């Protein structure tokens, strides 16, 4: 299908300032074009339908060794949703850690077209790509975890920002990664000996460098390389009562390095790092303190990490935290340290409405979203599957759009948590325009994906059409209708092709894998090559020549070529 | 002559990637760094090759064109009610993915060698999880290494020198600053070089592990001996484990296939988990075939399950004992079989083998095997890691791209290509 004309949709395209205008959208050769360029288009009548750019998920654990170990750990999860294979489609096996095929189909069903796998261990990223290669429909990318990487720690300890940058440009190319990920910086190296770190001034054993130094160093590296996205950080002390202070420290620690108009830090799943109180008994929300900071500073963006009341699977590279969660929940626990680099931990977990702590967690995510004034600083996530499965995003959308929806849930949660929360006093309801920012425009902008998250001429033709008519539907009162509409897109269009209708995928086709190909000065490249040759085989259990992933190992490779200018 | 370095050996779960291979005039003439198994494979791989596709006619297997063999194989699989597709552990991840698609397409059961090997490991992991790591972590940090029911000096010959006792790591020089413990039913080669050898009575590992867990907690063990081991020795081992800086437990079929099976692994995981209260402790299963872990991994992302997957309902069902190949065959439930890179007729129970031979049988393998000699369709394939490339996953999950260093015999394709053709033909037959 070369040409498509979507007629008379109610369009929300925040990047281009379009707020519910009835418009046509013209598509040609996979891109959005002016209607005048069309010669012989198929016409899709979108009267009564809302159109948004295809959804962009900035943070969801969908592929790689940790995710797959989660599948192994939880055969019981796979019985929750089953659908037999159909013509052109593999069987569907859900729920919190679906098969790779199910992942692609379900995102398309919701009208999402781009998803980021946010934490891959570099040594094992070939595995991540093999799974992404088998994740249909969506465009994707992955972020290598670099904060406990021995080369990084050694370069940063020496203050050698250029060496570290040249090394990471090599690493990003070697593992075909898109952005730099930090997970409780330095903690996994401490965990290599069974320990952890407290706060951002606690030095990493044997390497004598603090998380703060790692964060600042990697921020400077990121800028030097000119990467399209800032560093993504899962803050230290995740899950610990009172940790909002560490989150504030983290955001403050790069204030002086901040550049006008460009975020320095993207804080992932901020809910888990927004705890006030001193223990589980007096746990409370630190959302307002964090929102206050985010409202008054322009160098930080965040994604929510909202929890849902359900049985789900936690999985992060924060190994010390995952061990703690195993101890407090008593649930089964997988741990997998990755030499010289990082690690992963997996623990099933159920968030219960009547559990005080879980109920407080639920209020934190929503409070934060409602208190942050500028939606461009925010993305909607659950840290899938940590807070809940991505297929339930429409529930969160309903809570944001409708204070009634929130009330209905508030009535059922632990009463003490409800009393302590400020949610009851917050009337704010997101508009569809703001929701489109949280789920499309902001993530695309933060990621630096220029063709995504908008419907202007030249954008990739990733478009979602929903059975929603804001003129005849009260989004606040009829939140259940809204939720269902957002759950099953009327049409999902990817690269100009209709890939799903009424929430049902049509076929198993594949999107692109994005990665960054950064060119650095030759002399720095040579220097890093020498360092690699000298140290790699002492640190690792594989040879240097067997470490990199080749471009042809990606099903459809889509590199962003960058030249690092700041050396 | 061409020399290749950094070649990854396609024999066992060690996936040593430092092999040097020299090729001259279409033959491998020299191999360096590999162990005895590695050398044997590289220097003898070309023996007993199947050189052309074969189809059975009466008592004889007659050479045919590849297209005819592919068509016959596809016909057998698509007409079968319940075919079983088995093997997979000695081929590439890419081939395994196609095998799963094929099993889905024909509504059969697909299983890999895990079901007769480390199946109990995956079953115990599904119940408890597992504290593990990659091998380099052990190399760099471990001062205590335990092999339990595993004899690497005879099964994984370079494991100790590359990854554990003999390896030089960032914080460990080598043999001198590491302690080796072996637990086994007899004094194996590995036991002979151990600092501590604990001889456990056959089939009593579960009791021994339980006693160790009690000793960790300073609970009183009322007997003088447990599983043939004195309580003093048990307590000494417990102290050794608690007192180390980084302990690593490697284990094999001595635990998975002795009395208790997955309950033994359950106990071992509980032990290592307990130890993490006092110190850093990890465990890694000693996987046998070079890509059995890859078979688990690929099965998992396609279906959610690591082995023994049944597609007869159009979606994956996992029930080891019911959906595992050896059990399906032993009960005579299947009516056709596809065997890829495996020789079950040489090692499955007699009844399973009888049932295997009763029904149409397709074999894809480089070698003539006991299984292939009775097959109705035989398709020769190339060796992954010698003649063709593909991804394999090491025992600790690290993925490595295997490369070809020499061409396969004329007309011989990779498993990946053959399976792709069979799948295409099956789809064409089904319309």
């Amino acid at each position: 299908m070369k040409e498509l004309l979507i007629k008379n949709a109610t369009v929300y395209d925040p990047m281009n300032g379009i707020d519910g205008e009835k418009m046509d959208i013209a598509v040609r050769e996979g891109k959005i074009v002016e209607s005048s360029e069309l010669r012989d288009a198929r016409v899709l009548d979108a009267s009564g339908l809302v159109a948004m750019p295809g959804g962009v998920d900035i943070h969801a654990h969908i592929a790689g060794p940790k995710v797959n170990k989660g599948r192994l750990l939880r055969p019981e999860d796979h019985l929750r949703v089953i659908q037999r294979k159909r013509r052109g489609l593999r069987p569907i096996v859900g729920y919190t850690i679906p098969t790779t095929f199910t992942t692609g189909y379900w995102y398309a069903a919701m009208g999402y077209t781009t998803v980021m796998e946010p934490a891959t261990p570099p040594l094992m990223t070939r595995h991540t790509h093999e799974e992404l290669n088998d994740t249909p429909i969506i465009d994707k990318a992955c972020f290598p975890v670099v904060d406990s990487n021995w080369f990084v720690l050694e370069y940063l300890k020496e203050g050698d920002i250029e060496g570290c940058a040249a090394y990471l440009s090599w690493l990003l190319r070697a593992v075909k990664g898109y952005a730099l990920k930090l997970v409780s910086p330095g903690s996994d190296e401490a965990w290599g000996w069974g320990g952890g770190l407290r706060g951002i001034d606690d030095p990493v054993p044997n390497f004598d460098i603090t998380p703060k130094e790692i964060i600042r160093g990697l921020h400077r590296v990121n800028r030097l390389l000119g990467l399209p996205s800032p560093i993504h950080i899962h803050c230290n002390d995740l899950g610990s009562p009172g940790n909002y202070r560490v989150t504030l420290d983290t955001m403050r620690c790069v204030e002086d390095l901040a550049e006008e108009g460009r975020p320095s830090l993207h804080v992932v799943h901020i809910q888990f790092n927004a705890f006030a109180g001193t223990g589980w008994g007096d746990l409370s929300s630190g959302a307002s303190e964090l929102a206050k900071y985010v409202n008054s500073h322009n160098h930080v963006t965040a994604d929510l990490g909202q929890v849902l009341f359900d049985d789900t699977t936690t999985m992060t590279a924060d190994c010390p935290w995952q061990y703690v969660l195993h101890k407090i929940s008593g649930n089964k626990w997988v741990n997998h340290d990755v030499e010289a680099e990082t690690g992963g931990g997996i623990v099933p977990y159920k968030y219960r409405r009547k559990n005080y702590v879980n109920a407080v967690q639920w209020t934190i995510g929503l409070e934060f979203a409602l208190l942050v004034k500028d939606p461009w600083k925010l993305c909607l996530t659950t840290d899938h599957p940590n807070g809940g499965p991505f297929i339930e995003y429409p529930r969160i959308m309903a809570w944001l759009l409708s204070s009634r929806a929130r009330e209905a849930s508030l009535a059922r949660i632990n009463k003490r948590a409800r009393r302590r929360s400020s949610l009851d006093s917050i009337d704010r309801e997101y508009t569809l325009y703001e929701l489109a920012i949280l789920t499309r425009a902001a993530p695309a902008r933060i990621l630096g994906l220029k063709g995504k998250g908008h419907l202007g001429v030249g954008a990739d033709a990733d478009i979602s059409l929903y059975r929603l008519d804001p003129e005849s539907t009260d989004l606040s009162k009829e939140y259940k209708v809204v939720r269902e509409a957002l759950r099953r897109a009327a049409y999902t269009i990817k690269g100009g092709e209709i890939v799903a209708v009424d929430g049902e995928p049509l076929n198993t086709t594949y999107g692109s894998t994005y990665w960054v190909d950064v060119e650095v000065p030759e002399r720095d490249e040579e220097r890093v090559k020498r360092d690699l040759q000298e140290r790699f085989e002492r640190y690792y259990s594989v040879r240097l020549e067997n470490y990199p992933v080749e471009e042809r190992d990606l099903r459809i490779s889509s590199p962003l070529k960058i030249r690092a200018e700041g050396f | 002559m061409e020399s290749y370095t950094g070649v990854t050996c396609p024999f066992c779960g060690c996936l040593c990637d430092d092999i040097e291979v020299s090729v001259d005039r279409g033959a491998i003439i020299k191999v360096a760094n590999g162990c005895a198994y590695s050398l044997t494979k590289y220097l003898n791989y070309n023996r007993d090759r199947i050189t052309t596709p074969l189809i059975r006619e009466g008592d004889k297997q007659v050479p045919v064109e590849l297209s005819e063999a592919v068509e016959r194989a596809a016909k057998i699989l698509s007409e079968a009610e319940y075919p079983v597709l088995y093997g997979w552990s000695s081929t590439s991840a890419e081939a395994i993915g196609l095998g799963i698609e094929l099993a889905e397409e024909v509504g059969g059961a697909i299983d890999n060698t895990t079901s007769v090997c480390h199946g109990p490991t995956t079953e115990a992991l599904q119940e408890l999880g597992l504290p593990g790591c990659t091998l380099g972590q052990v190399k760099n940090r471990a001062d205590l290494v335990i092999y339990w029911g595993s004899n690497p000096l005879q099964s994984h010959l370079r494991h100790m020198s590359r990854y554990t006792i003999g390896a030089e790591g960032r914080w460990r020089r080598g043999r001198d600053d590491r302690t080796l413990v072996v637990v086994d039913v007899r004094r194996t080669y590995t036991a002979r070089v151990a600092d501590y050898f604990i001889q456990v009575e056959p089939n009593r590992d579960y009791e021994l592990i339980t006693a160790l867990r009690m000793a960790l907690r300073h609970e009183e063990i009322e007997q003088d001996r447990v599983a043939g081991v004195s309580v003093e020795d048990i307590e000494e081992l417990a102290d050794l484990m608690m007192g180390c800086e980084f302990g690593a437990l490697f284990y094999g079929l001595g635990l998975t296939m002795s009395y208790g099976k997955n309950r033994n692994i359950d106990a071992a995981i509980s032990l290592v988990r307990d130890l993490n209260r006092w110190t850093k402790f990890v465990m890694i299963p000693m996987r046998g075939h070079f890509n059995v872990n890859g078979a688990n991994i690929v099965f998992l992302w396609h279906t959610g399950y690591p082995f023994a997957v049944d597609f007869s309902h159009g979606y994956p069902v996992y029930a080891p004992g019911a959906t595992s190949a050896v059990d399906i065959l032993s009960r005579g439930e299947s009516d056709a079989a596809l065997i890829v890179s495996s020789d079950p007729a040489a090692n499955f129970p007699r009844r399973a083998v009888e049932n295997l031979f009763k029904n149409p049988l397709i074999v894809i393998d480089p070698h003539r095997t006991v299984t292939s000699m009775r097959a109705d369709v035989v398709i020769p394939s190339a060796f992954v890691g010698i003649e063709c490339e593909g991804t394999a996953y090491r025992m600790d999950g690290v993925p490595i791209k295997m490369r070809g260093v020499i061409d396969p015999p004329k007309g011989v394709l990779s498993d990946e290509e053959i399976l792709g053709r069979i799948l295409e033909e099956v789809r064409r037959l089904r319309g």
Side-chain angles (χ1 to χ4, degrees):
Chain A
M1 198 193 327
K2 258 181 43 181
E3 295 187 352
L4 180 65
L5 180 63
I6 299 166
K7 285 198 76 66
N8 207 27
T10 309
V11 178
Y12 293 87
D13 181 9
M15 252 192 242
N16 296 301
I18 297 170
D19 185 1
E21 267 176 60
K22 287 212 169 41
M23 286 172 66
D24 295 349
I25 305 170
V27 172
R28 185 165 195 278
E29 304 278 349
K31 299 271 185 213
I32 302 208
V33 298
E34 303 277 12
S35 308
S36 53
E37 280 187 51
L38 299 183
R39 299 283 158 261
D40 180 26
R42 168 180 169 174
V43 175
L44 187 56
D45 179 9
S47 311
L49 301 181
V50 156
M52 290 191 184
V56 178
D57 195 344
I58 195 170
H59 188 109
H61 299 276
I62 57 167
K66 183 173 76 258
V67 177
N68 214 34
K69 267 261 163 62
R71 293 188 183 106
L72 176 59
L73 183 66
R74 306 211 67 194
E76 69 274 14
D77 188 73
H78 309 321
L79 299 173
R80 293 180 69 175
V81 179
I82 300 172
Q83 229 177 305
R84 47 161 54 99
K85 72 181 234 61
R86 289 162 287 170
R87 190 177 207 80
L89 298 172
R90 308 292 294 272
I92 282 185
V93 179
Y95 179 70
T96 68
I97 346 140
T99 65
T100 55
F101 299 94
T102 305
T103 299
Y105 299 151
W106 278 3
Y107 267 111
M110 284 198 308
Y112 270 71
T113 50
T114 303
V115 181
M116 302 285 119
E117 161 49 61
T120 176
L123 174 64
M124 301 172 78
T125 297
R126 176 178 295 283
H127 179 169
T128 307
H129 284 296
E130 300 208 329
E131 289 198 22
L132 288 176
N133 286 344
D134 276 350
T135 304
I137 304 172
I138 56 176
D139 287 337
K140 52 244 165 167
C142 61
F143 307 161
V145 182
V146 296
D147 62 273
S148 289
N149 176 301
W150 287 2
F151 287 100
V152 168
L153 296 180
E154 286 166 1
Y155 282 123
L156 292 182
K157 176 70 194 154
E158 296 302 307
D160 185 359
I161 299 294
E162 291 181 344
C164 191
Y167 167 73
L168 286 174
S169 86
W170 174 85
L171 186 77
L172 284 163
R173 188 176 304 109
V175 305
K176 304 295 177 283
Y178 188 81
L180 299 177
K181 179 67 181 292
L182 287 66
V183 177
S184 195
S187 297
D188 278 344
E189 176 46 44
W191 176 250
W193 296 107
L197 301 175
R198 297 243 67 182
I200 61 172
D201 292 306
D202 196 0
V204 177
N206 295 310
F207 287 85
D208 195 29
I209 182 173
T210 65
K212 182 191 291 183
E213 288 163 341
I214 299 170
I215 297 163
R216 285 177 62 84
L218 286 172
H219 164 72
R220 291 170 64 197
V221 162
N222 201 75
R223 248 215 340 253
L224 191 57
L225 292 176
L227 297 185
S229 197
I231 54 177
H232 290 235
I233 179 163
H234 156 145
C235 293
N236 294 74
D237 279 29
L238 181 135
S240 236
N243 64 11
Y244 84 91
R245 289 196 188 83
V246 177
T247 311
L248 278 176
D249 287 345
T250 303
M251 297 192 289
R252 284 190 184 119
C253 87
V254 289
E255 248 180 61
D256 62 312
L257 301 173
E259 253 179 20
E260 200 49 55
R262 292 182 53 187
S264 305
L265 219 57
H266 177 76
V267 177
V268 302
H269 48 68
I270 199 166
Q271 173 271 129
F272 294 103
N273 284 88
F275 293 2
T278 62
W280 298 120
D282 70 348
L283 184 79
S284 63
S285 167
S288 66
E289 283 83 356
L290 293 181
K292 200 182 301 174
Y293 185 91
V294 170
N295 283 337
S296 55
H297 293 83
N298 291 324
H299 69 285
V300 180
T301 58
D303 63 75
L304 285 186
Q306 176 65 24
V307 309
L308 295 153
F309 295 116
D310 202 349
D311 173 62
T312 190
T313 309
T314 70
M315 55 174 68
T316 71
D318 191 341
C319 296
W321 162 249
Q322 295 293 147
Y323 179 57
V324 166
L325 187 59
H326 154 66
K327 297 305 290 294
I328 45 186
S329 67
N331 294 340
K332 50 190 177 178
W333 164 60
V334 165
N335 180 81
H336 200 72
D337 303 334
V338 179
E339 66 214 52
E341 292 184 348
T342 177
I346 308 164
V347 178
Y349 190 75
K350 182 170 182 170
Y351 295 98
R352 295 177 159 82
R353 283 173 218 286
K354 301 297 187 195
N355 176 289
Y356 174 72
V357 168
N358 297 160
V360 170
Q361 285 184 273
W362 180 83
T363 65
I364 289 174
L366 292 178
E367 278 176 27
F368 187 78
L370 295 165
L371 292 172
V372 167
K373 300 198 178 106
D374 180 3
W376 286 98
K377 292 179 179 172
L378 212 51
C379 303
L380 190 155
T381 64
T382 59
D383 188 20
H384 163 87
N386 288 281
F390 68 81
I391 195 68
E392 297 290 352
Y393 285 169
R395 252 180 224 284
I396 304 168
M397 297 176 194
W399 286 322
L400 294 174
L401 293 168
S402 163
S403 64
R404 273 181 189 77
R406 295 196 293 268
E407 265 165 49
S409 293
L410 274 165
R412 300 169 65 197
I413 67 169
N414 176 289
K415 292 193 183 0
R416 184 160 68 100
R418 181 181 188 173
R419 278 198 304 272
R420 296 198 71 167
S421 167
S422 60
L423 264 188
D424 270 311
S425 64
I426 301 177
D427 291 328
R428 179 182 174 196
E429 288 178 333
Y430 267 64
T431 62
L432 274 181
Y433 185 84
E434 290 172 322
L435 188 67
I437 295 173
L438 251 69
T439 57
R440 278 104 172 126
R445 179 175 284 177
I446 293 165
L447 288 166
L449 286 168
K450 298 211 156 51
K452 305 294 187 197
H454 72 104
L455 297 173
V457 167
D460 292 348
D462 298 345
I463 307 158
S464 349
L465 299 173
Y466 296 103
R467 274 189 212 294
L468 208 50
D469 185 359
E471 282 181 7
S472 62
T473 308
D474 181 329
L475 303 180
S476 178
K477 279 209 187 96
E478 297 181 73
Y479 63 87
K480 290 190 184 172
V481 166
V482 175
R483 202 166 67 200
E484 275 319 295
L486 293 170
R487 188 78 181 282
R488 261 175 260 284
Y491 294 92
T492 308
I493 293 147
K494 174 80 186 61
E497 301 280 333
I498 298 178
V499 290
V501 175
D502 286 325
E504 293 299 327
L506 299 181
N507 216 336
T508 307
T509 51
Y510 293 94
S512 304
T513 303
Y514 292 102
W515 56 282
V516 291
D517 185 357
V518 191
E519 191 191 314
V520 301
E522 202 176 317
R523 62 142 208 285
D524 294 280
E525 210 182 326
E526 290 303 309
R527 181 157 75 89
V528 163
K529 264 205 190 108
R530 283 195 301 273
D531 290 338
L532 283 166
Q533 262 143 19
E534 196 197 286
R535 293 182 235 169
F536 191 90
E537 262 127 56
R538 280 192 281 126
Y539 295 172
Y540 285 93
S541 61
V542 300
R543 283 171 63 105
L544 178 57
E545 63 202 276
N546 289 322
Y547 185 88
V549 173
E550 293 168 273
E551 196 170 2
R552 67 189 177 94
D553 296 330
L554 274 45
R555 197 188 274 268
I556 302 169
S557 166
S558 211
L560 252 84
K561 289 197 194 295
I562 300 170
R563 178 184 257 161
E565 298 289 355
F567 275 76
Chain B
M1 188 184 82
E2 285 122 48
S3 279
Y4 299 90
T5 60
V7 176
T8 305
C9 171
F11 187 77
C12 81
C14 284
L15 280 188
C16 302
D17 73 332
D18 63 344
I19 313 297
E20 288 173 18
V21 179
S22 303
V23 177
D24 191 29
R25 280 171 289 188
I28 293 179
I29 55 165
K30 184 168 175 231
V31 179
N33 295 337
C35 71
Y37 291 129
S38 179
L39 246 68
T40 307
K41 181 161 185 176
Y42 277 110
L43 298 176
N44 292 284
Y45 77 98
N46 234 353
R47 290 214 199 150
D48 292 322
R49 286 304 281 271
I50 306 166
T51 49
T52 108
L54 304 165
I55 284 184
R56 170 187 294 290
E57 276 176 23
D59 276 341
K60 290 213 287 263
Q61 290 176 325
V62 283
V64 295
E65 290 298 314
L66 179 61
S67 52
E68 192 183 336
V70 165
E71 276 161 28
R72 178 70 67 90
K75 187 165 189 295
I76 289 171
L77 289 171
S78 62
E79 285 176 3
E81 276 235 9
Y82 192 48
V84 64
L85 288 69
Y86 179 76
W88 309 109
S89 305
S90 296
T91 185
S92 65
E94 293 80 357
I96 296 165
L98 287 169
I100 296 168
E101 267 194 81
L102 184 56
E104 249 177 54
E105 197 66 52
V106 301
I110 183 164
D111 192 14
N112 57 68
T113 63
T114 302
S115 59
V116 294
C117 181
H118 268 281
T121 289
T122 54
E123 286 168 8
L125 192 157
Q126 285 165 336
E127 293 196 34
L128 274 87
L130 190 141
C133 63
T134 64
L135 288 165
Q137 193 77 331
V138 177
K139 166 182 108 156
N140 282 312
R141 303 178 200 254
D143 57 337
L144 174 65
V145 175
I146 307 178
Y147 288 99
W148 194 311
S150 167
N151 181 14
L153 282 185
Q154 289 196 279
S155 65
H156 298 75
L157 306 192
R158 295 176 76 207
H159 195 263
M160 291 161 73
S161 58
R162 268 176 70 79
Y163 305 126
T164 69
I165 288 295
E168 186 186 337
R170 186 174 186 130
W171 290 289
R172 306 291 172 208
R173 281 186 319 272
R175 186 68 184 88
D176 292 334
D177 50 0
R178 306 189 204 250
T179 303
L180 172 63
V181 175
V182 168
V183 183
D184 213 316
V185 299
R186 63 180 179 277
R187 190 173 275 275
T188 60
Y189 282 179
T190 314
R192 289 182 216 169
V193 303
D195 297 306
Y196 295 87
F197 167 53
I198 311 268
Q199 186 159 8
V200 60
E201 270 171 26
N203 297 311
R204 305 291 296 277
D205 299 85
Y206 187 89
E207 289 95 314
L208 180 56
I209 297 173
T210 306
L212 269 168
R213 292 182 69 200
M214 289 172 72
L216 289 183
R217 291 170 174 71
H218 302 295
E219 284 172 18
E220 201 194 321
I221 299 166
E222 288 172 5
Q223 293 159 230
D224 292 330
R225 301 183 80 79
V226 177
V229 184
S230 72
V231 165
E232 286 77 42
D233 284 347
I234 292 171
E235 287 173 352
E236 191 180 1
L237 181 55
D239 283 338
L240 204 59
M241 292 195 294
M242 276 195 285
C244 72
E245 287 182 348
F246 187 116
L249 170 67
F250 295 93
Y251 68 97
L253 269 62
L255 271 186
T256 67
M257 287 296 160
S258 60
Y259 187 78
K261 293 195 178 176
N262 53 311
R263 294 301 167 209
N264 295 338
I265 313 307
D266 186 315
I269 294 170
S270 302
L271 172 66
V272 174
R273 237 168 43 170
D274 287 349
L275 282 161
N276 274 285
R277 280 192 223 157
W278 288 280
T279 185
K280 177 76 178 180
F281 227 99
V282 297
M283 60 197 291
I284 298 178
M286 297 288 278
R287 306 308 298 272
H289 293 282
F290 78 90
N291 204 19
V292 61
N293 203 8
N296 294 147
I297 285 168
V298 178
F299 272 53
L300 279 164
W301 86 61
H302 281 249
T303 72
Y305 308 110
F307 65 101
V309 180
D310 168 306
F311 283 109
S312 58
H313 297 275
Y315 55 84
V317 171
Y318 165 75
T323 56
S324 32
V326 64
D327 299 290
I328 291 171
L329 285 166
S330 295
R331 290 191 303 265
E333 287 172 352
S334 55
D335 60 347
L338 166 65
I339 308 297
V340 176
S341 73
S342 185
D343 189 14
N347 48 62
F348 270 20
R350 184 168 58 84
R351 180 147 303 148
V353 178
E354 281 170 3
N355 289 328
L356 181 69
F357 289 155
K358 266 192 201 138
N359 295 303
L361 172 60
I362 308 154
V363 170
I364 303 174
D365 207 283
H367 280 148
R368 216 169 41 235
T369 64
V370 177
T371 313
S372 81
M373 293 198 296
R374 290 285 298 268
D376 299 290
V377 180
V378 182
I379 303 177
S381 61
F383 278 97
V384 172
I386 303 180
E387 298 170 327
C388 65
E389 64 172 29
T391 303
Y393 287 80
R394 205 165 67 177
M395 63 169 69
D396 60 350
V398 172
I400 302 183
K401 178 90 160 264
M402 316 288 283
R403 300 180 199 282
V405 298
I406 194 168
D407 287 332
K410 194 165 182 308
V412 172
L413 303 179
S414 65
D415 293 315
E416 192 187 342
E417 286 173 273
I418 295 165
L419 288 161
R421 290 188 191 198
I422 296 176
L423 182 60
E424 202 182 316
E425 179 61 17
V426 163
R427 287 190 168 135
R428 195 189 67 77
L429 287 173
R430 295 181 148 226

